Structures are given as C-alpha cells and as structure tokens.
Amino acid sequence: MARYIFITGGVVSSLGKGLASAALGALLQARGYSVRLRKLDPYLNVDPGTMSPYQHGEVYVTDDGAETDLDLGHYERFTGRPCSQADNITTGRLYQDIIAKERRGEYLGATVQVIPHVTNALKEFILDGNEGVDFVLCEIGGTVGDIEALPFFEAIRQLGNDLPRGTVCYIHLTLLPYIPSAGELKTKPTQHSVKELRSIGIQPDILMVRADRPIPEEERRKIALFCNVRREAVIPALDVNTIYAVPQSYHAEGLDDEVLRVFRLEAGPPDLADWANIVKRVREPEGEVTIAIAGKYTGLLDAYKSLSEALTHGGIANNVRVNLEWIESEIFETEDPAPYLERVNGILVPGGFGERGTEGKIAAAHFARTREIPYFGICLGMQMAIIEAARNMAGITGAGSTELGTPEVALVGLMTEWMKGNELEMRAADGDLGGTMRLGAYEARLTPGSQVAEIYGTDKVFERHRHRYEVNMSFRKQLEDVGLLFSGVSPDGLLPEIVELPGHLWYIGVQFHPELKSRPREPHPLFADFIRAAVMQSRLV
C-alpha cells in the first residue's frame, strides 16, 4: 500500500517546496523505496501553458505532452522518474472536468458544491494510479491561508481520516527570518503559519524551517513547543551553495529519519554516493567556462530553470564550472554584440515566443558562426540560426518567420498539421492557444555520420517539443548547398529537428528542448558535448 506525504508551505511563497519535495524523494529512493511526486496547483489556469514566463517561470513539458509547473522538473532531475499529465492538477483543470460532468448529468441532479464534489475529485486525483509505489509525495502550491487553496487543504485533511492510520504524513515548510536590528531569528511567523494550518484541521508531523543561518537549539525547542511537534521533527532547511547538496543537507538534519519514524518504518542508511560525487564536481571543478545566454526573459531566471540546470549538468560531465552570462537579446538590435560575446566560450540562444528580441538572437547566431564560437540554438534559437544562414549564407535576404510578422520569404511558418506516431494532429490558425502546440516527445531520425549522431551514439532519439512554428523544408536543399546540414528530421522527413554546420567547432540547432531530459546523474549528451566544445574553445583563446 502506498504511503502519502503532503508538503505544504507557509509565511511566504517561493520557499522551495518543490525542491524540498524532490530532495526528500531522492532520499527515500536512496533508502531503497520507490516514489512518485505530484503537484497540486490552486490557480484557475487549466495549465501554465498560456502564462507569461514572468508570471510563472518555465513551463515544464512531459513526455506525454503535458504543460506543467516547473517543480516537475525538480522532481525528474532529483529522482529520475518521468512525470506525466497525471502528476499535475490545477483548479482550472479540476473545475473544467467537474463542469463537463455536470453538463452531462453525471451528478444525477445533485447540487454541485466544493464539498464534497471538488474535494472528492481532488482525492480521486491524488489516489489514482499509485499501485506499486511506496511513497506518494504531493506538493500543494501556494501558501496556507490562500483563499484559492482551501479546497486543496480540505481534501488532504479528509485523506488523513480516509486512509489507514499510519499511512499519511504532513510536512509544513516555513520561513525563519533573521532581523538584523535585533540580531535574532524570529519564530513568530512559523507559529502563526502552523496556527493557520491547524485551524483548518491539519496538524503537521514535521516542520521544515528555511533559514539563511544555523538555527540555535533554543529556537528549535521553542518552535516545537508552540507548534505541537517533537523537537526532532523541526528540521532546519538551510541555504546551500548548490541545490544538489540539498539531499545530503536534509539527511544530515534528520529529515528522512523523521519521515520514516512517522510511518514507523526502518531502513538502512541511504546511499548518497552519487550525490556526494555530484556535489564534489560542482564545488571542486578542474576548470571553468563562460556561456552567454541571449534570451528574452532574463529578468526572471526561473523562466530558464531547466536550461540553467542542464548547463550545470554539462559542467558536471566535464568537471568544470559553467559561468552563465544572461543577456537580453534586444540589446544586440541596437548595439554591437562583440563587447558582450567576444570573451565567452559558448553562446546559447533559447526558445521564446513573439517578435521582441528576435533580431538580436539572429545577431548572436551570426556572431557565433563567423567567430567560431560554439553555438547551441534551442527551439526559436534553431529557427533564428536557420534564418541567419538563409540571409547571410544562401542570399535569401527577405527570410523570416510568420510568427514575427509578414516576411518576404516565409522560411518559418505556422504548423497546422503533423504526425504523432500514426495519428494526424491538426490545429487551426485562429484556434485556442492553450495546449495547441506540438507538445511532448517525438521521434527524430539522425543522419549517419553527422555530428549529432556521434554525440547521441544512435540514429534515433525521442525529445520533448513545445512549439507551433516550423522551418519550411522546401528550403532544405538551398541551405544544404551552402553548408548547413539538416542532420535530424521527423520519421516522415517533413519536419526538421536538428541542423548543424559541418566544419564549425560546434554549431547545432535543435527544434526540441533537450534541457527537459537532462539530469545531474545523467547529463544530456548535447549539453555535455556543448560544454566539452566550450572547454576546447577556452583553450584556443
């Protein structure tokens, strides 16, 4: 039978519940248990797919095409267990399903209410599909006291009574702020947060207390006393200099021991050798490289969370520190890129939507191509590299994308249909935006002998996509005649997946998002090789 751990947060948002959940999952795995992690988001959007990166950060895409919360990226990176559509639910999706059932008459004339219909639907979601899993970790988004989160807290409160005794654990993550003028860590916000949680019927079993400095023993005892938990159940969640040290840090503070104590389980010590090796490589690298990221959303780095982590993984694979220079690509539309890019060892242009900053991305691709600097173009970054090659190598001066206006030559255009396996997917140009892109894992066939085929070590890969515009393959021959190689295409040969520039130190563009499948223990081959090339470039300077 599965055991359930519910992780809630209090005091303020952005305390790191997702990272804490992922690290706990990794610790339980290290003790020999199987885990599943799920995220319950109280906002009314059906999914984060239509939300601005500045509002919500990165949209994390799963193999089955779900647009989900970025915390699912933490879950996958720390546990290696793929997430799916069934691991993320929002209020919007929940109400969409409930209203559809009501319209079909499935409630048999009952008055549809938050209790029991919404809470029952939440409980069904939480309990579904957990056969063979030892622990199910459910993170509740938002903060205790949020109006929109009340049905979620009520659902997990009910599950505490519905499920057999000893199969549920509540973990509450709070903040212990330091007041410089008083020279003290203050426990009152945590006390109030737990009071709020208890007022809706949930008594936490474990408190994880975020702090930027060690918590004195007296403060731990005080928190335990006023929050009605054992002193050993007050777990300091201290800042560390790399997120991959979090599992070791939490184990040292006794988190996994306390969780097992709640469930009255015993297990041998966790095997954290992999995490120790990763942390050693991060903290004691043999060298360093600098990568410039010319993006559109650099004002909120969470918009590129998986990307920055994948570059770190590439550094781990090569035992070097990867320094990131975040640059708004708009700058290159009015300024010379050279002062920003001539000192870097690699240039990465990530995905994005809309016209803003795209000419700057094209300028970054041009600089990398002509200066022999390793270039990695992802999604829109690949399209901009192809447009740059069309304009400056093939002489197609009017080349552009219909996403960005009405170019003379539509090198990139809106997809209205494509194959997914044996199924034909179709979209309308004026249809809904949400969930209508080419989403999830698709197969790509690689050209034998190409650079990417050597990097992957195979001629077939499955990578995750999130885009609705595509390069027009009718220009393939014209571009390949001037040196750009389409080295990866869809199985039917109609959609480009990868381009590369033979003879260049490292110049690759991909239509998919390889960062979504990179793990600290399994760095993605493209990121590992990109950083290897950056190391080579650093030695040539």
Side-chain angles (χ1 to χ4, degrees):
M1 174 184 287
R3 296 170 177 84
Y4 292 84
I5 302 173
F6 297 109
I7 299 98
T8 58
V11 184
V12 295
S13 59
S14 301
L15 282 182
K17 292 193 305 297
L19 183 57
S21 302
L24 176 56
L27 284 173
L28 292 171
Q29 281 184 328
R31 285 183 176 266
Y33 294 105
S34 60
V35 300
R36 180 183 189 182
L37 290 98
R38 315 179 85 174
K39 178 71 183 289
L40 284 67
D41 278 309
Y43 52 74
L44 282 170
N45 303 69
V46 173
D47 60 43
T50 59
M51 296 167 72
S52 163
Y54 287 116
Q55 283 277 318
H56 193 263
E58 168 189 73
V59 174
Y60 191 80
V61 179
T62 59
D63 279 339
D64 63 353
E67 293 178 288
T68 70
D69 186 85
L70 63 83
D71 282 330
L72 274 73
H74 288 311
Y75 302 166
E76 289 200 3
R77 284 188 286 273
F78 276 78
T79 70
R81 187 186 192 278
C83 294
S84 71
Q85 177 77 54
D87 291 316
N88 192 200
I89 189 76
T90 68
T91 296
R93 186 171 139 210
L94 190 73
Y95 275 77
Q96 186 180 60
D97 293 343
I98 289 171
I99 291 170
K101 287 182 179 180
E102 186 274 332
R103 292 291 81 189
R104 293 194 298 266
E106 293 186 19
Y107 292 110
L108 304 176
T111 300
V112 181
Q113 298 176 289
V114 172
I115 301 173
H117 300 98
V118 174
T119 51
N120 283 349
L122 278 166
K123 290 192 292 183
E124 289 171 9
F125 175 83
I126 292 169
L127 298 175
D128 184 53
N130 299 324
E131 298 80 10
V133 178
D134 296 320
F135 288 98
V136 180
L137 286 72
C138 292
E139 176 195 348
I140 313 301
T143 307
V144 63
D146 293 346
I147 291 174
E148 61 267 26
L150 286 174
F152 291 76
F153 287 112
E154 173 61 18
I156 65 172
R157 182 199 68 79
Q158 291 180 19
L159 283 173
N161 293 325
D162 296 346
L163 293 170
R165 186 179 296 275
T167 60
V168 172
C169 173
Y170 297 103
I171 298 177
H172 193 52
L173 183 68
T174 71
L175 177 67
L176 206 63
Y178 179 76
I179 309 300
S181 59
E184 292 179 333
L185 288 164
K186 307 304 287 187
T187 66
K188 192 63 71 174
T190 292
Q191 294 177 44
H192 280 296
S193 183
V194 173
K195 180 180 178 181
E196 181 75 23
L197 192 62
R198 294 177 69 190
S199 73
I200 55 179
I202 298 173
Q203 166 62 50
D205 299 291
I206 297 170
L207 292 178
M208 296 182 66
V209 187
R210 284 298 311 274
D212 63 354
R213 64 200 65 217
I215 302 173
E217 182 62 27
E218 181 58 32
E219 268 64 30
R220 289 184 72 173
R221 293 185 183 279
K222 184 177 180 181
I223 292 170
L225 177 64
F226 282 94
C227 296
N228 194 33
V229 298
R230 299 167 63 252
R231 177 260 171 217
E232 292 80 8
V234 179
I235 307 295
L238 305 182
D239 294 346
V240 290
N241 62 357
T242 169
I243 63 171
Y244 301 117
V246 172
Q248 291 174 289
S249 175
Y250 285 178
H251 172 65
E253 299 292 353
L255 174 61
D256 45 327
D257 290 325
E258 195 61 29
V259 168
L260 295 181
R261 187 177 291 116
V262 171
F263 292 109
R264 298 183 180 179
L265 296 173
E266 293 185 4
D271 181 3
L272 299 176
D274 283 352
W275 294 109
N277 181 55
I278 289 167
V279 170
K280 186 175 187 297
R281 282 177 168 253
V282 171
R283 290 175 172 168
E284 302 173 23
E286 295 178 355
E288 61 181 43
V289 295
T290 300
I291 304 297
I293 301 177
K296 297 177 61 171
Y297 315 116
T298 58
L300 181 69
L301 298 187
D302 268 357
Y304 299 113
K305 188 60 181 176
S306 292
L307 186 66
S308 61
E309 293 307 317
L311 287 165
T312 297
H313 305 162
I316 291 170
N318 291 277
N319 204 16
V320 295
R321 175 180 292 112
V322 179
N323 301 312
L324 302 181
E325 291 195 4
W326 300 93
I327 303 171
E328 274 289 329
S329 58
E330 282 182 282
I331 291 174
F332 300 149
E333 296 177 359
T334 56
E335 298 184 32
D336 181 4
Y340 298 90
L341 300 178
E342 60 189 1
R343 298 174 292 101
V344 304
N345 309 118
I347 298 170
L348 191 150
V349 174
F353 297 93
E355 184 176 3
R356 181 179 64 84
T358 50
E359 288 297 327
K361 292 189 174 192
I362 291 170
H366 178 76
F367 189 90
R369 180 177 65 81
T370 56
R371 298 291 188 95
E372 282 289 316
I373 297 174
Y375 176 85
F376 198 174
I378 295 175
C379 198
L380 184 64
M382 180 189 93
Q383 296 175 3
M384 298 302 99
I386 293 176
I387 289 173
E388 190 280 325
R391 292 177 182 177
N392 299 312
M393 295 173 65
I396 310 173
T397 55
S401 170
T402 59
E403 180 182 7
L404 316 176
T406 53
E408 293 178 31
V409 181
L411 191 72
V412 180
L414 179 70
M415 287 186 298
T416 55
E417 58 182 59
W418 62 88
M419 295 300 295
K420 186 168 187 177
N422 295 322
E423 300 285 331
L424 178 65
E425 297 274 340
M426 301 185 69
R427 300 289 186 271
D430 57 352
D432 290 346
L433 293 180
T436 60
M437 287 184 277
R438 189 177 182 223
L439 292 165
Y442 285 83
E443 180 183 346
R445 303 282 175 86
L446 310 184
T447 302
S450 64
Q451 185 178 2
V452 290
E454 292 180 3
I455 292 171
Y456 275 106
T458 183
D459 61 358
K460 182 192 301 184
V461 295
F462 289 84
E463 295 282 4
R464 299 178 187 179
H465 294 67
R466 184 176 183 250
H467 63 106
R468 60 168 52 89
Y469 288 82
E470 196 78 62
V471 174
N472 188 337
M473 286 288 272
S474 64
F475 292 94
R476 178 177 182 174
K477 184 178 186 305
Q478 200 170 349
L479 290 165
E480 290 194 328
D481 285 346
V482 295
L484 194 69
L485 174 64
F486 285 72
S487 54
V489 297
S490 59
D492 58 12
L494 299 178
L495 301 177
E497 295 282 6
I498 308 174
V499 295
E500 61 185 66
L501 192 61
H504 193 282
L505 177 59
W506 207 96
Y507 195 93
I508 293 174
V510 297
Q511 185 59 72
F512 45 82
H513 289 269
E515 69 271 21
L516 300 177
K517 298 185 77 170
S518 188
R519 314 283 179 260
R521 290 179 286 189
E522 294 181 66
H524 192 285
L526 289 176
F527 281 93
D529 205 65
F530 176 55
I531 298 303
R532 179 198 59 78
V535 172
M536 289 179 57
Q537 197 277 343
S538 70
R539 293 169 180 168
L540 295 174
V541 175

